[in-house]
């Protein structure tokens, strides 16, 4: 079966790419650039908002990285990356999968503010400060969960991919050095063979051009 992932390096489609690789599912990747290229009518026919990820599998087109994660895990029912209905960690798995977006929406606001809004006077310094604080607080919950464990649940699962990506993006706006559990977590995740190269970007395709974006 043909699987095609529409991917912008550094974006939430990183989650889908990484998961496809962890699950060892053969797939193709179509690279896009962040910005107006996603508003091309051909792409809008696939994702009505022109966002990534977008995943095609046979006649199925899916967007929302969380839905793609569930769908892919369900396609490989024996995978240790899933927690199926009835599993003792099922509810927690679902919670972390969605908590990944609680973190990501703050990081997305800051991405828009720091990288997209031009001129800088168009930004709201007050809102950016507030979002940075809210982001740091959301990350603190993950750091607490990881204080005495290597992964969010008993073993590495798809929710570590979802949350791990959010933590990585957040590190562009919040000093992770203050949360050593998160630094160690990211290092562990990025050392996985399936994660090799997924955080990189070919020339001209990435979103984040510097490792950290301080508040003015
Ligand atoms: N909740 C969605 C969010 C998708 C999303 O907003 N993706 C961003 C990249 S990280 C995007 O495509 N932004 C383009 C835009 O806002 O125009 C998911 O998890 O897939």
């Amino acid at each position: 079966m043909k699987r095609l992932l529409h991917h912008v390096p550094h974006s939430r489609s990183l989650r889908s790419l990484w998961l496809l690789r962890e699950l060892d599912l053969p797939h193709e990747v179509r690279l896009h650039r962040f910005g107006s290229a996603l508003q091309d009518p051909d792409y809008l026919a696939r994702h009505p908002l022109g966002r990534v990820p977008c995943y095609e599998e046979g006649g199925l087109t899916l967007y929302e990285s969380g839905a793609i994660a569930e769908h892919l895990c369900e396609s490989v029912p024996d995978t240790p990356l899933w927690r199926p209905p009835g599993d003792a960690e099922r509810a927690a798995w679902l919670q972390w999968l969605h908590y990944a977006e609680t973190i990501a929406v703050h990081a997305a606001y800051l991405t828009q503010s720091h990288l997209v809004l031009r001129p800088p006077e168009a930004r709201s310094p007050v809102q950016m400060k507030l979002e940075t604080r809210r982001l740091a607080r959301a990350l603190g919950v993950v750091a607490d969960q990881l204080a005495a464990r290597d992964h969010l649940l008993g073993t590495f699962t798809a929710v570590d991919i979802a949350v791990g990506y959010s933590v990585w993006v957040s590190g562009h706006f919040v000093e992770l050095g203050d949360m050593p559990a998160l630094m160690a977590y990211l290092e562990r995740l990025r050392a996985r063979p399936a994660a090799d190269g997924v955080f990189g970007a070919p020339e001209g395709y990435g979103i984040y051009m510097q490792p950290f974006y301080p508040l003015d």
Side-chain angles (χ1 to χ4, degrees):
M1 180 175 17
K2 187 178 164 186
R3 298 183 183 87
L4 172 66
L5 177 68
H6 296 269
H7 175 49
V8 170
H10 297 171
S11 81
R12 287 173 177 92
S13 53
L14 184 161
R15 292 172 174 154
S16 314
L17 176 62
W18 184 1
L19 183 56
L20 280 161
R21 292 172 60 153
E22 290 280 359
L23 292 171
D24 213 11
L25 291 170
H27 60 275
E28 290 171 27
V29 175
R30 191 168 301 162
L31 278 188
H32 299 268
R33 287 188 168 82
F34 193 59
S36 55
L38 294 173
Q39 297 299 319
D40 175 86
D42 184 55
Y43 188 66
L44 285 175
R46 295 173 163 82
H47 190 316
L49 297 181
R51 297 189 187 189
V52 281
C54 179
Y55 171 72
E56 297 180 63
E57 182 191 278
L60 173 77
T61 302
L62 256 190
Y63 41 86
E64 287 299 330
S65 59
I68 295 167
E70 283 215 56
H71 174 73
L72 292 180
C73 286
E74 285 170 24
S75 322
V76 188
D78 292 340
T79 176
L81 303 192
W82 192 30
R83 293 295 183 267
D87 189 284
E89 288 188 325
R90 168 69 175 177
W93 189 89
L94 286 172
Q95 180 184 272
W96 287 115
L97 184 65
H98 294 280
Y99 191 79
E101 276 302 279
T102 291
I103 303 172
V105 290
H106 298 303
Y109 178 89
L110 291 165
T111 300
Q112 290 288 332
S113 301
H114 281 279
L115 282 89
V116 180
L117 284 184
R118 291 282 182 275
E121 301 84 78
R123 304 170 186 161
S124 163
V126 173
Q127 190 68 27
M128 286 169 75
K129 205 169 166 189
L130 183 69
E131 289 293 327
T132 305
R133 264 203 228 122
R134 282 161 65 80
L135 177 57
R137 198 168 164 212
L139 290 172
V141 172
V142 181
D144 287 349
Q145 176 72 2
L146 293 167
R149 48 168 76 222
D150 282 355
H151 300 104
L152 294 168
L153 302 178
T155 56
F156 173 80
T157 70
V159 300
D160 291 300
I161 292 176
V163 171
Y165 165 74
S166 296
V167 171
W168 177 78
V169 168
S170 303
H172 292 85
F173 308 110
V174 169
E175 289 283 4
L176 296 186
D178 299 339
M179 290 177 267
L182 289 190
M183 298 281 284
Y185 178 57
L186 265 189
E187 231 171 84
R188 256 190 315 277
L189 294 180
R190 293 189 63 172
R192 295 185 64 82
D196 187 33
V198 299
F199 289 88
E203 184 75 28
Y205 278 90
I207 297 175
Y208 303 99
M209 297 305 154
Q210 54 192 72
F212 190 73
Y213 293 83
L215 287 172
D216 294 333

